[in-house]
Amino acid sequence: MYAKVIVDISNNELDRIFDYDVGELSLSAGDRVMVPFGQRRIEGYVIELNENSSCPPDKIKSVYSKLDDYPVITPEMLALMNFMIGNYHLRIIDVLRLFIPAQMRGGKVKALSRKFVYANPDAFGLIKPSAKMQLDAYNYVLAKGEVALSELNANCSAASVRNLIMRDILRVRDGEIMRTPYKNLEFSDNSVELTEAQSHAVSTVMNAKDKTFLLHGVTGSGKTEVYMHCIAAALALNKTAIMLVPEISLTPQIMAGFRARFGSKVALLHSGLSAGERFDEWRRLITGEASVAVGARSAIFAPLKNVGIIIIDEEHDGSYTSESNPRYVTSEVAEFRRKFNGCNLILGSATPSIESYYKAKNGEYELIELPERINKRPLPDIFVVNMIDEVYRGNNGVFSARLEAELHNCIEAGNQAMIFINRRGYSSYLMCRSCGYVAKCEQCDVSLVYHKEEDSLKCHYCGNRYKALTVCPNCGSEHIKRGYMGTETVAEALKQMFPGETVLRMDNDTTQGKDAHFEILRKFAEKKAKILVGTQMIAKGHDFPDVTLVGIVDADMSLHFADYRATERTYQLITQVAGRAGRNDKPGVVVLQTYSPNHYVYKYAVSGDYKKFFEKECNLREVTKFPPFTRIVRLLVSGENEIEVASVLKNVFERIKTLSDGDKRFVFLSYMWSPLKLIKNKRRAQVLMRVTPDYDRLPEIYAIADEYISGKVSIFVEVNPNNLS
Ligand code: ADP
Ligand code: ZN
Ligand code: ZN
């Protein structure tokens, strides 16, 4: 019998099956094994067992050993592996590495072994009634059945314990304890009675089979409760559940809520876990001890069997697309697992992605709506402030008069405020401060990106180049500014305005430590500060009852991002941040500052009319030929040597051009240096393609890419990438 093994080395040449003789070992597909490889010993994964091998028998070596008691890759995950390789053109080993905790590989983490103490049942009479401390220790053990020696020593006289063990009255065995993340979370199960809309949502899902639902529920409509009921229903049928939330909304609140409802059945998978915790949570899932996996993107690979429901909360969130190798789209992996298990999948959001809503309209997904907040609480009022008027009035500060006044009202009333700065990525645009004009590409209708080194404006889709603005073509003003403002600037301004108040700041710089972002949120939740300033990180999921004011300092920041999804993202962000206000009995106010007050995105965000926004946006996408009406394919070439990268780029481009010639499904093609031309010493260049949704020659493009990959130049192909930088 031969084991077909993938060795744990990430290298294109070695990313193929090697045959090994199984020998006397009893192996199954999915086992992790140790094998000889050249002069080395290396870990690998058995992906198949077969009687045949095309290798000459004298070349075949034998598997050394099996590393675990059970196959670490389940049959479902082996099937998923094939799906991902075919769909995303990934290395086999890179996919397999997604399926098990990184620290498990190479034996870097091990089960935590401990000594456990239990009572010898026949020995009670051997303790003298006068030996109080020995009796205490014995009773402590009896009450618990079994207890870790360390715990026993901490609670009773260690000398007495030692004495009892010596006399075989207490016995010791070697055991293992599981490291449980967030053990000290305080939680209470505040079960609620479902509203009519919620129970309708739950029963719709429960009565369906093998379906994908889009749960469109406004902020505060109680989507979490719907998820929990669907999970409970799956557990009642002896099935398992996977629930994904964006990393940054994986707050203590959410985790405590799940712990409270499902107890030790929940395994939490979070990037903040220690290696040991992650390993143990994963093992609890694969052994069936835990049956609900809650976590960020990578939890979609939870090693659960018999999955009864999969949930992706905030489905529109960008973090569900992996942007570095191995690249994959979480919802597509979820679809695979849904089909494999014949279960339902719920995609939930207050602001679904245009692509998902489009699918719901086409019947590919079934739409479920929660149109009202719990207890019919109103959505907050959004006031749009035209910052151009402020400039005319001589206010060049961060805050408009309106936002400043609302801040004073809020703080003086003892409430809390969240101030949101939308700042993502590298991108900066040029804008006229007098009329709000922003330069756009004439061909693509996306904002142009300012390239400082060349002092020019560029379209990141077609590569067209324009002169940088010095005078506004719209109004003739010379008041041109570069869009850019940071959280620090804003926090400083707030401290000056409210000298006595603590201002918390949450952004990439302040959340580096393991629990840093929990700490900031906890302080805010405990009302240790009245003002929280932050980026995207504060936009999601949080439920702070005393927040009555949300300020959006520069809403345009994402609007003028050079991306066809800029408007969609802006709508989502505004709705999400606005949704933080007025979640309890106190009504909320949102002040939104913009230089483009007439942009349609603000009109629909203010009225909260997602459907109208969708119609408008969808029409635009159709006209400008962007997804969902096309797919964008980017082929990214990178390497240290500029000339080599350029020549590969040119060659690949010519090959694809030949391939696309006369193919009507090819809508657009261009090539250029990437907006971020240099990252970590690597030059980056890209071929951009727009193809129709039914285009099926991607494998040929992958094959072209493969031909040019070398030790010096790497190439990745991405479909609908989140980020074109
Ligand atoms: P969403 O995720 O849709 O924004 P949440 O799930 O956070 O909304 O729910 C908003 C608030 O309403 C939470 O505080 C939640 O505990 C509460 N809630 C949810 N369902 C009910 C219900 N049926 N009755 C009372 N309160 C509820
Ligand atoms: Zn102007
Ligand atoms: Zn363009």
Side-chain angles (χ1 to χ4, degrees):
M1 185 69 90
Y2 299 105
K4 312 277 174 182
V5 172
I6 301 294
V7 292
D8 196 357
I9 304 174
S10 188
N11 176 309
N12 283 337
E13 268 95 80
L14 301 180
D15 196 49
R16 58 187 177 83
I17 289 169
F18 291 93
D19 288 359
Y20 287 91
D21 194 342
V22 169
E24 300 295 296
L25 293 170
S26 111
L27 291 181
S28 10
D31 274 330
R32 197 164 59 116
V33 288
M34 191 63 87
V35 293
F37 196 79
Q39 300 303 311
R40 301 155 66 191
R41 290 166 77 101
I42 269 183
E43 279 181 23
Y45 302 88
V46 179
I47 61 166
E48 199 193 320
L49 290 166
N50 203 305
E51 298 288 352
N52 305 308
S53 170
S54 50
C55 229
D58 56 319
K59 286 261 163 72
I60 296 189
K61 299 179 184 168
S62 300
V63 175
Y64 278 134
S65 60
K66 174 169 144 172
L67 291 170
D68 314 278
D69 300 338
Y70 44 82
V72 294
I73 314 279
T74 62
E76 177 182 359
M77 298 319 257
L78 285 171
L80 176 60
M81 172 192 87
N82 286 320
F83 167 81
M84 290 180 71
I85 293 165
N87 254 267
Y88 307 122
H89 195 60
L90 302 172
R91 286 186 202 127
I92 308 172
I93 189 60
D94 291 344
V95 176
L96 290 173
R97 284 178 180 177
L98 288 171
F99 297 168
I100 65 168
Q103 301 81 2
M104 186 171 167
R105 293 171 26 226
K108 288 189 271 303
V109 284
K110 298 226 159 55
L112 194 62
S113 59
R114 283 288 149 85
K115 299 219 176 297
F116 285 87
V117 181
Y118 60 101
N120 175 353
D122 308 322
F124 178 69
L126 299 176
I127 304 175
K128 278 197 248 126
S130 59
K132 279 282 297 158
M133 289 199 291
Q134 292 184 6
L135 276 176
D136 280 351
Y138 189 83
N139 285 329
Y140 190 93
V141 174
L142 268 194
K144 297 230 164 184
E146 185 171 86
V147 56
L149 179 60
S150 53
E151 177 187 334
L152 184 61
N153 281 334
N155 286 285
C156 306
S157 146
S160 306
V161 171
R162 220 176 310 127
N163 178 294
L164 291 176
I165 291 171
M166 220 170 56
R167 288 157 62 204
D168 193 36
I169 297 171
L170 290 179
R171 291 176 172 170
V172 179
R173 70 168 187 93
D174 287 319
E176 193 199 312
I177 57 169
M178 289 288 184
R179 289 150 284 202
T180 313
Y182 307 108
K183 222 187 306 197
N184 305 324
L185 278 181
E186 282 171 30
F187 48 74
S188 54
D189 187 359
N190 32 13
S191 286
V192 291
E193 202 162 318
L194 293 187
T195 63
E196 210 168 296
Q198 284 172 320
S199 35
H200 175 255
V202 173
S203 62
T204 307
V205 175
M206 281 166 57
N207 291 330
K209 227 186 128 232
D210 207 359
K211 260 195 146 161
T212 301
F213 293 92
L214 179 62
L215 176 64
H216 178 206
V218 300
T219 56
S221 59
K223 292 186 286 296
T224 314
E225 204 59 47
V226 171
Y227 303 147
M228 289 197 175
H229 273 78
C230 291
I231 293 173
L235 295 183
L237 296 170
N238 259 330
K239 297 189 172 181
T240 63
I242 299 174
M243 158 108 182
L244 307 184
V245 295
E247 181 81 46
I248 53 179
S249 29
L250 204 50
T251 58
Q253 272 170 343
I254 287 277
M255 296 196 286
F258 275 85
R259 270 281 165 68
R261 198 70 60 90
F262 303 110
S264 61
K265 284 208 160 84
V266 180
L268 296 170
L269 302 167
H270 182 267
S271 67
L273 303 191
S274 70
E277 286 170 345
R278 198 159 236 289
F279 178 54
D280 288 353
E281 289 293 75
W282 181 88
R283 275 189 312 151
R284 294 203 309 123
L285 288 165
I286 199 165
T287 56
E289 195 185 312
S291 43
V292 182
V294 177
R297 179 176 74 212
S298 62
I300 195 59
F301 302 116
L304 285 166
K305 297 174 191 106
N306 197 12
V307 179
I309 183 101
I310 305 172
I311 295 161
I312 304 183
D313 188 28
E314 315 273 12
E315 65 88 26
H316 63 277
D317 194 87
S319 70
Y320 288 124
T321 304
S322 161
E323 285 177 15
S324 54
N325 183 49
R327 292 172 162 83
Y328 61 90
V329 180
T330 308
S331 62
E332 292 171 359
V333 174
E335 281 288 345
F336 177 92
R337 298 199 73 177
R338 170 181 75 76
K339 286 183 199 143
F340 192 96
N341 289 280
C343 67
N344 294 317
L345 165 64
I346 306 177
L347 309 174
S349 178
T351 52
S353 68
I354 297 290
E355 268 111 324
S356 294
Y357 204 79
Y358 183 75
K359 285 186 183 163
K361 290 203 79 168
N362 285 344
E364 203 172 317
Y365 297 163
E366 185 173 331
L367 186 64
I368 304 179
E369 293 176 308
L370 299 174
E372 286 182 334
R373 279 190 161 179
I374 293 291
N375 295 334
K376 299 209 188 315
R377 273 175 206 134
L379 284 160
D381 285 325
I382 303 181
F383 293 101
V384 175
V385 175
N386 184 350
M387 290 305 278
I388 294 167
D389 293 347
E390 298 288 317
V391 175
Y392 274 119
R393 266 192 234 127
N395 176 6
N396 280 310
V398 174
F399 301 112
S400 58
R402 177 73 195 242
L403 181 50
E404 194 169 338
E406 293 289 354
L407 269 165
H408 279 285
N409 288 343
C410 168
I411 302 306
E412 277 145 32
N415 294 324
Q416 288 181 296
M418 291 168 88
I419 305 295
F420 173 68
I421 321 291
N422 181 0
R423 181 180 164 180
R424 67 173 270 149
Y426 61 94
S427 171
S428 65
Y429 55 94
L430 292 184
M431 187 189 68
C432 169
R433 279 199 84 166
S434 305
C435 76
Y437 173 88
V438 172
K440 289 197 162 187
C441 176
E442 286 156 16
Q443 214 168 328
C444 308
D445 197 39
V446 295
S447 300
L448 298 170
V449 175
Y450 180 62
H451 285 242
K452 200 174 167 197
E453 17 3 309
E454 305 162 39
D455 192 34
S456 69
L457 291 164
K458 251 194 238 175
C459 172
H460 282 179
Y461 282 93
C462 67
N464 275 354
R465 190 190 293 249
Y466 301 79
K467 272 207 342 227
L469 295 180
T470 47
V471 174
C472 172
N474 193 38
C475 73
S477 161
E478 292 180 6
H479 216 38
I480 307 286
K481 81 157 193 169
R482 274 181 63 190
Y484 224 61
M485 189 181 329
T487 42
E488 264 182 285
T489 327
V490 175
E492 279 311 311
L494 283 165
K495 279 180 195 155
Q496 285 182 4
M497 204 185 297
F498 301 100
E501 294 293 339
T502 310
V503 176
L504 293 172
R505 176 162 73 91
M506 184 150 142
D507 54 28
N508 263 332
D509 300 334
T510 59
T511 52
Q512 287 307 316
K514 181 175 174 240
D515 291 324
H517 96 261
F518 284 178
E519 281 310 309
I520 297 173
L521 292 173
R522 178 175 306 157
K523 276 191 199 149
F524 195 62
E526 288 169 357
K527 297 198 74 175
K528 300 239 165 77
K530 292 207 186 92
I531 309 175
L532 172 62
V533 178
T535 55
Q536 267 67 358
M537 289 180 179
I538 66 169
K540 282 168 211 148
H542 311 302
D543 200 12
F544 300 115
D546 286 323
V547 170
T548 57
L549 173 65
V550 165
I552 304 175
V553 171
D554 190 347
D556 310 336
M557 204 80 90
S558 66
L559 192 58
H560 302 318
F561 200 67
D563 188 313
Y564 71 93
R565 270 177 294 208
T567 318
E568 174 183 355
R569 293 229 170 91
T570 305
Y571 184 91
Q572 287 162 348
L573 269 170
I574 292 171
T575 309
Q576 295 290 343
V577 235
R580 298 314 112 212
R583 290 174 75 87
N584 215 311
D585 302 330
K586 303 174 190 165
V589 170
V590 179
V591 179
L592 182 159
Q593 305 187 157
T594 168
Y595 290 89
S596 315
N598 298 318
H599 195 288
Y600 65 90
V601 70
Y602 298 130
K603 183 167 124 202
Y604 297 125
V606 168
S607 64
D609 197 337
Y610 176 83
K611 281 179 200 159
K612 287 231 177 74
F613 170 73
F614 171 82
E615 294 297 335
K616 169 95 186 169
E617 185 64 21
C618 209
N619 286 338
L620 265 176
R621 298 268 183 102
E622 192 162 11
V623 174
T624 48
K625 299 203 175 64
F626 277 115
F629 301 95
T630 56
R631 277 186 294 165
I632 291 187
V633 181
R634 163 163 90 161
L635 185 151
L636 182 69
V637 183
S638 68
E640 281 177 16
N641 185 318
E642 182 158 354
I643 296 165
E644 274 171 62
V645 171
S647 103
V648 167
L649 180 75
K650 188 102 184 39
N651 288 331
V652 171
F653 177 75
E654 290 302 331
R655 292 282 301 279
I656 296 177
K657 204 160 173 231
T658 313
L659 183 79
S660 69
D661 214 25
D663 190 340
K664 287 248 161 22
R665 295 170 304 174
F666 238 93
V667 186
F668 197 81
L669 180 67
S670 74
Y671 71 111
M672 62 181 131
W673 288 108
S674 302
L676 280 179
K677 189 176 165 189
L678 193 65
I679 295 183
K680 292 185 188 147
N681 248 340
K682 293 231 165 101
R683 313 277 155 174
R684 304 163 81 244
Q686 59 196 35
V687 179
L688 273 188
M689 297 155 255
R690 265 185 263 168
V691 297
T692 57
D694 63 344
Y695 183 75
D696 58 2
R697 293 175 73 181
L698 269 181
E700 290 167 65
I701 292 177
Y702 287 141
I704 294 177
D706 280 350
E707 274 181 53
Y708 290 91
I709 293 174
S710 67
K712 289 177 176 167
V713 173
S714 54
I715 304 183
F716 289 108
V717 180
E718 301 161 294
V719 179
N720 289 346
N722 246 329
N723 184 340
L724 288 166
S725 53

